[in-house]
Amino acid sequence: MPACPLTGGERDGRFGVFGLLLGRVQREGAGRNLTCAPQPEDEEDEEPALEELEQREVLVLGLDGSGKSTFLRVLSGKPPLEGHIPTWGFNSVRLPTKDFEVDLLEIGGSQNLRFYWKEFVNEVDVLVFLVDSADRLRLPWARQELHKLLDKDPDLPVVVVANKQDLSEAMSMVELQQELGLQAVDSQREVFLLAASIAPAGPGFEDPGTVHIWRLLLELLS
Ligand SMILES: Nc1nc2c(ncn2[C@@H]2O[C@H](COP(=O)(O)OP(=O)(O)OP(=O)(O)O)[C@@H](O)[C@H]2O)c(=O)[nH]1
Ligand SMILES: [Mg+2]
């Protein structure tokens, strides 16, 4: 039996180091990297290698409870979990498209993990930043963290997701745009604000907001 080349969080050096740092890794989802395929030398008749698809990296950040893990779950066709189970490290899924594979990496949003966010922001193609639209009290924290990331990489396209729009106390998009300070962002920069209700719609692409986010990501990554 060959040794599995990939353990959680060690898909490449970068994430592997991060996995070691945090000590605990959560991997969710789909994708062939979760399986331990036989190594070529084990095969008697070696088959020609399939053409590898290019990878695109998407970093998924936001305060704890904003819906990052739920987002990754629904995109990979899984139902949202009941209640909030914090991500104590990171969590990723790989989603194939016809032109490339999209790696979405969530880093947990609790306070002690936010320190690590900036270490990854220069390494990815797009940042998705989720906000709990009903969490009025913590919106200033979300704003502060978002702007730290914007400052860290002035060219990175950013998709801000105003999640939990299904809740009656959810702030409007106009209010969120203002409170998150998005109007003040450099006009040359690609920053999008999209509404979503990721969990109530369930797995797959049932929520029009989730469909919209995914389409935009594909466009930005192409
Ligand atoms: N009402 C509502 N609840 C949602 C929505 N999206 C996610 N939730 C709920 O919010 C809670 C937290 O979601 P998670 O996806 O675990 O949050 P997270 O951002 O991964 O949190 P950390 O891993 O702690 O950083 C869960 O109970 C979800 O079911 C939504 O659109 N509407
Ligand atoms: Mg999580």
Side-chain angles (χ1 to χ4, degrees), residues 61-76:
L61 301 178
L63 299 190
D64 44 306
S66 54
K68 301 178 294 298
S69 297
T70 309
F71 180 54
L72 266 58
R73 284 184 69 86
V74 301
L75 283 182
S76 45

Side-chain angles (χ1 to χ4, degrees), residues 164-193:
K164 308 198 187 182
Q165 283 290 314
D166 55 296
L167 297 177
S168 57
E169 61 275 31
M171 284 172 272
S172 72
M173 298 302 282
V174 173
E175 201 177 351
L176 281 164
Q177 190 186 18
Q178 216 159 26
E179 296 299 320
L180 289 169
L182 296 180
Q183 283 151 328
V185 173
D186 178 3
S187 59
Q188 301 298 308
R189 178 177 194 131
E190 288 186 293
V191 179
F192 304 85
L193 176 64

